[in-house]
Amino acid sequence: MSSTLRFLMCPPTYYEVDYVINPWMEGNIHKSSQERAQVQWQQLYDILQARATVSLIEPQRGWPDMVFTANAGLVLGDRVVLSRFYHPERQGEEPYFKAWFTSEGYQVFELPKQVPFEGAGDALLDREGRWLWAGYGFRSELDSHAYLAKWLDIEVLSLRLMDERFYHLDTCFCPLTDGYLLYYPPAFDAYSNRLIELRVPAAKRIVVQEADAVNFACNAVNIEHTVILNRASQDLKNALAAAGFEVVETPLTEFLKAGGASKCLTLRVTEPVRAELRAPATLPSRVIHLEGHLLDSGLVNRVLDTIVESGGSFQVLQFNLGEQRQSPSQADVRVMAPDAAVMDEIMAQLIDLGAILPPSEVCDATLETVTLAGVAPDDFYVTTIYPTEVRVNCQWVRVQNQRMDGAIVVRSTPEGTVAECRLLRDLEVGDRVVVGVEGIRTVRKADSQRNSQEFTFMGSGVSSERRVELVVEQIAWELRRIRDQGGKVVVVAGPVVIHTGGGEHLAKLIREGYVQGLLGGNAIAVHDMEQAMMGTSLGVDMQRGVPVRGGHRHHLKVINTIRRCGSIAEAVRQGILTSGVMYECVQRNIPFVLAGSIRDDGPLPDTLMDLIQAQREYSRLVQGANMILMLSSMLHSIGVGNMTPAGVKLVCVDINPAVVTKLADRGSVESIGVVTDVGLFLSLMVQQLDRLNRPYTVA
Ligand code: ARG
């Protein structure tokens, strides 16, 4: 039958599995039967021939995958965008396909050399011609989509492939007549699935199960109401029948060994243009600038990974590697995204990593007014721990009170523009808040990435037991230095400090002037005072390590005693509390803040049960700290971490590695994790400080 519908095929004369460029080829080198391949190819040819015109391109020795003509290029009307194969193994096919299209009178478009695109294997027209579905992630680059949109003048919907078994779009996705779609959703990321669902109504989506997907059921040729494929389960046939499609199965096992089936073996070269549907704007793209120790700090990797993981792609426009160890590098990177929402998402993350949007593109940050107290405008910029600047009237303004998870409020004062971090609940009607991602940059000080000398050799790592002593030496050194320079160390401590016998050591650190503030909950204070007043911690005798009869009531008796006094300080004044952590704080005038929780007994009169007030007091005490020692208290430590800007040294000690990782992993080098028993840690610390304080002797 002759028809206006025409396909291009290539006889499998030189077909072979000769190399491995997809998972299907693995273990199949030279395992396909040439004879059977011939027969299977012929059967497919006959089926198509009965329904359409089939043209042939001459096969070429040495280019075994040339049978897969789907990868020749992408045709729309009289135009073709030629493939730029990702793998060198197939690049030699390009000139043959180009010659064929040229001789057939197509207008040929060729992508730049560095932009891979694998033709109709990765680009499938909606059968109604309304738009082009284009895949990326393995073979084709996202950048190619912008060219397709421009040259073919069609809307391109970019779909990101996630499963290497389905490395071409046509292995897991097949648009059908009447707006139906046959596809395997797990092959795509969540965003792409959403995009598919927005364009194809549920009733038109025919979802394929994995068992069919791996038989290449989606790699089908659709001609009107016929679907030609390798193999389909009864369920899938039923589903297709229900949608009005007849399934024609034709075995293609020999080609599956190279990762292709019926659709791959064919290229539809008649694709009508729907002139009334013109392409909208091209894909969003923008250039970012990076500066700093890009390689040493791993920043380039993180930036490029972030772009790809969020569904975008990039092109490095220039990279100037700093010549010496201390000289910073610079790079310009073009970022492409499938749409504006993904672009914004990527930009927000890149800004947090320290990327700069060139000022030519951006002048001012966008501000929106708060209309409901305590509620930010949608799309407000969420702050990080890093020093941040916003652009107002084309000038960069440093944000004050830097902390995590706030909004940025900008206001003009007689002294000039002021920008500050503000918690959501503190926003007032009329405040101007930064929204979006324009005109914001985070600043990484070069020395926060390297040479903060003594402290960095553990750089943001989590130590193992045998390194604990080394870390303690470092921290002891640092504690002594901060004390001598009149600096500020804040301790965040959980009750485990007392249970593990660390109380006396912490008390000593306070007594000797190494601690300038203490943060914790009700429990640390209760157990510390229980130990001081009754010799037990949660009823356990701290000398002998055994539970004391009636000991479980001890902590309540302590609470009761302190409540009678009215405050911890008053208990000290009355001579009721005479030792321990809380006693030393009172004696030395070291401010402490106890934040309450739902499980608190009592609570102590000093415990703040209003959490907003407690957060406020915590953050006041954290201000200006040079170092924060987090001792076995996950909750209070996380709270403190959120209100602490980058640049403050954080030491997180916990016996649970998961807690340490969580706390130490804030992407800033100044944080250090120590996995160990906190009582042991404190005892080593005190010993080490004593050693530092001994008279100098020549060893
Ligand atoms: N071995 C070929 C490759 O990996 C198979 C191509 C299959 N073609 C397709 N349109 N999915 O490139």
Side-chain angles (χ1 to χ4, degrees):
M1 175 184 136
S2 92
S3 136
T4 49
L5 186 56
R6 180 156 83 120
F7 287 93
L8 174 67
M9 290 182 72
C10 174
T13 323
Y14 304 110
Y15 170 69
E16 261 270 44
V17 181
D18 239 356
Y19 43 73
V20 177
I21 56 171
N22 69 50
W24 306 93
M25 300 174 99
E26 228 163 274
N28 275 327
I29 289 203
H30 305 314
K31 292 264 171 65
S32 65
S33 145
Q34 174 57 230
E35 233 169 286
R36 221 173 309 139
Q38 287 284 355
V39 174
Q40 293 181 342
W41 184 90
Q42 191 62 46
Q43 284 165 347
L44 176 66
Y45 176 88
D46 293 342
I47 293 168
L48 288 190
Q49 174 75 18
R51 294 166 169 83
T53 303
V54 183
S55 300
L56 295 180
I57 180 170
E58 196 182 321
Q60 301 293 328
R61 187 186 294 281
W63 303 109
D65 273 338
M66 202 173 154
V67 274
F68 298 113
T69 51
N71 301 119
L74 171 69
V75 174
L76 182 59
D78 59 359
R79 299 179 177 188
V80 61
V81 179
L82 281 186
S83 286
R84 282 267 180 224
F85 285 95
Y86 180 80
H87 293 288
E89 284 86 341
R90 294 199 63 183
Q91 287 165 0
E93 299 170 34
E94 291 170 14
Y96 300 107
F97 288 127
K98 179 176 177 181
W100 188 85
F101 286 116
T102 310
S103 70
E104 293 288 316
Y106 286 90
Q107 186 185 354
V108 174
F109 290 85
E110 285 180 275
L111 289 156
K113 280 248 172 332
Q114 346 63 271
V115 182
F117 167 65
E118 299 204 348
D122 263 336
L124 297 164
L125 283 152
D126 163 59
R127 295 268 32 99
E128 246 79 302
R130 293 167 295 181
W131 54 72
L132 179 72
W133 300 102
Y136 70 104
F138 294 105
R139 298 294 185 84
S140 301
E141 266 295 321
L142 182 58
D143 331 8
S144 63
H145 298 183
Y147 291 95
L148 302 180
K150 186 168 73 176
W151 290 337
L152 302 179
D153 200 6
I154 190 167
E155 182 184 12
V156 175
L157 302 176
S158 302
L159 300 176
R160 179 173 171 218
L161 297 165
M162 300 293 284
D163 181 333
E164 58 170 357
R165 294 173 302 170
F166 305 105
Y167 58 95
H168 274 145
L169 183 63
D170 69 359
T171 59
C172 50
F173 191 91
C174 183
L176 301 174
T177 308
D178 293 340
Y180 281 96
L181 173 67
L182 180 68
Y183 78 125
Y184 178 58
F188 301 94
D189 71 358
Y191 172 83
S192 305
N193 271 291
R194 179 92 188 99
L195 188 62
I196 294 168
E197 287 159 18
L198 286 173
R199 291 295 171 122
V200 185
K204 300 260 173 175
R205 300 195 293 263
I206 305 173
V207 167
V208 158
Q209 298 304 312
E210 187 175 15
D212 277 314
V214 296
N215 276 327
F216 274 66
C218 296
N219 196 251
V221 180
N222 171 222
I223 302 176
E224 284 162 8
H225 287 90
T226 306
V227 175
I228 302 150
L229 44 69
N230 169 57
R231 196 140 72 87
S233 66
Q234 195 52 51
D235 282 352
L236 180 55
K237 284 183 205 159
N238 293 344
L240 282 164
F245 293 96
E246 174 213 8
V247 174
V248 176
E249 286 179 296
T250 184
L252 291 162
T253 54
E254 297 320 295
F255 298 100
L256 253 61
K257 293 174 185 166
S262 57
K263 163 67 175 59
C264 304
L265 291 166
T266 61
L267 176 70
R268 193 190 279 246
V269 287
T270 44
E271 292 281 13
V273 177
R274 284 194 52 190
E276 72 280 17
L277 304 162
R278 301 278 77 160
T282 47
L283 290 179
S285 117
R286 56 189 318 176
V287 176
I288 56 160
H289 181 72
L290 299 169
E291 236 176 270
H293 296 291
L294 301 182
L295 291 184
D296 298 353
S297 63
L299 191 63
V300 240
N301 306 5
R302 253 179 295 145
V303 163
L304 301 184
D305 286 353
T306 301
I307 297 171
V308 174
E309 277 159 22
S310 312
S313 81
F314 62 81
Q315 192 186 351
V316 178
L317 301 177
Q318 64 120 351
F319 193 110
N320 277 335
L321 188 54
E323 277 164 24
Q324 257 128 28
R325 202 163 90 89
Q326 68 281 9
S327 36
S329 310
Q330 299 196 344
D332 287 322
V333 179
R334 177 181 298 286
V335 182
M336 278 80 58
D339 67 18
V342 175
M343 181 62 92
D344 281 355
E345 168 82 40
I346 294 174
M347 283 302 138
Q349 295 181 65
L350 295 187
I351 287 170
D352 292 350
L353 286 172
I356 302 166
L357 301 185
S360 57
E361 257 184 275
V362 198
C363 197
D364 285 359
T366 318
L367 301 178
E368 243 174 69
T369 306
V370 171
T371 53
L372 188 59
V375 180
D378 281 346
D379 202 27
F380 72 103
Y381 173 78
V382 182
T383 58
T384 64
I385 60 170
Y386 295 102
T388 304
E389 297 182 344
V390 287
R391 214 164 156 86
V392 186
N393 302 327
C394 286
Q395 300 248 313
W396 290 107
V397 180
R398 172 61 65 96
V399 175
Q400 298 173 9
N401 302 331
Q402 190 64 43
R403 58 157 294 153
M404 223 169 108
D405 296 347
I408 299 174
V409 172
V410 174
R411 56 200 166 87
S412 11
T413 70
E415 291 76 47
T417 308
V418 173
E420 61 185 10
C421 273
R422 196 82 78 69
L423 292 174
L424 294 184
R425 60 173 181 252
D426 296 328
L427 292 174
E428 288 164 17
V429 173
D431 279 342
R432 307 276 289 152
V433 168
V434 176
V435 296
V437 294
E438 306 295 343
I440 305 169
R441 69 181 184 193
T442 60
V443 186
R444 305 300 160 95
K445 275 197 280 97
D447 65 348
S448 85
Q449 287 167 7
R450 44 159 64 217
N451 42 237
S452 41
Q453 293 177 8
E454 318 87 25
F455 221 70
T456 45
F457 92 79
M458 294 297 301
S460 188
V462 172
S463 68
S464 64
E465 278 299 344
R466 57 199 167 72
R467 298 178 77 184
V468 168
E469 287 190 31
L470 277 175
V471 187
V472 168
E473 272 173 37
Q474 272 192 310
I475 300 167
W477 175 268
E478 193 73 9
L479 281 175
R480 168 69 192 267
R481 195 181 62 85
I482 294 174
R483 188 189 70 172
D484 293 359
Q485 294 178 350
K488 180 172 182 180
V489 172
V490 174
V491 170
V492 187
V496 179
V497 168
I498 310 300
H499 306 324
T500 56
E504 54 172 307
H505 306 304
L506 181 54
K508 183 166 158 139
L509 291 181
I510 297 169
R511 188 162 58 242
E512 297 187 348
Y514 294 106
V515 179
Q516 283 68 43
L518 177 71
L519 302 172
N522 194 59
I524 168 113
V526 169
H527 296 298
D528 165 64
M529 294 188 293
E530 176 191 339
Q531 196 201 336
M533 292 159 67
M534 320 198 66
T536 58
S537 174
L538 250 185
V540 174
D541 185 308
M542 289 302 286
Q543 294 300 319
R544 294 177 298 133
V546 291
V548 171
R549 183 176 317 169
H552 62 282
R553 295 201 199 94
H554 285 181
H555 79 278
L556 281 168
K557 297 204 166 152
V558 169
I559 292 171
N560 195 45
T561 305
I562 305 295
R563 288 180 70 88
R564 176 170 301 114
C565 298
S567 72
I568 296 173
E570 187 53 26
V572 172
R573 208 191 56 78
Q574 293 179 15
I576 292 172
L577 180 64
T578 56
S579 67
V581 173
M582 300 317 295
Y583 167 81
E584 298 295 348
C585 283
V586 172
Q587 280 300 80
R588 289 194 57 94
N589 257 322
I590 301 301
F592 59 84
V593 182
L594 305 176
S597 80
I598 192 86
R599 59 177 287 188
D600 289 344
D601 290 329
L604 292 166
D606 304 75
T607 301
L608 299 173
M609 296 308 283
D610 174 347
L611 273 187
I612 292 183
Q613 190 199 350
Q615 282 188 351
R616 214 174 280 142
E617 301 283 322
Y618 258 50
S619 101
R620 206 187 331 248
L621 197 50
V622 163
Q623 291 287 325
N626 305 93
M627 190 202 277
I628 300 180
L629 272 179
M630 300 174 158
L631 307 176
S632 290
S633 166
M634 180 164 75
L635 218 53
H636 295 103
S637 300
I638 293 176
V640 168
N642 291 348
M643 42 184 92
T644 308
V648 180
K649 286 163 184 167
L650 295 191
V651 177
C652 321
V653 186
D654 205 293
I655 193 76
N656 181 348
V659 171
V660 170
T661 311
K662 192 174 172 74
L663 290 172
D665 183 19
R666 21 194 268 142
S668 96
V669 190
E670 308 89 5
S671 61
I672 164 171
V674 190
V675 178
T676 191
D677 176 275
V678 68
L680 178 70
F681 173 87
L682 284 167
S683 129
L684 288 172
M685 182 61 67
V686 164
Q687 276 173 34
Q688 185 58 29
L689 283 166
D690 285 348
R691 210 168 290 152
L692 289 178
N693 292 330
R694 277 205 300 254
Y696 177 72
T697 49
V698 184

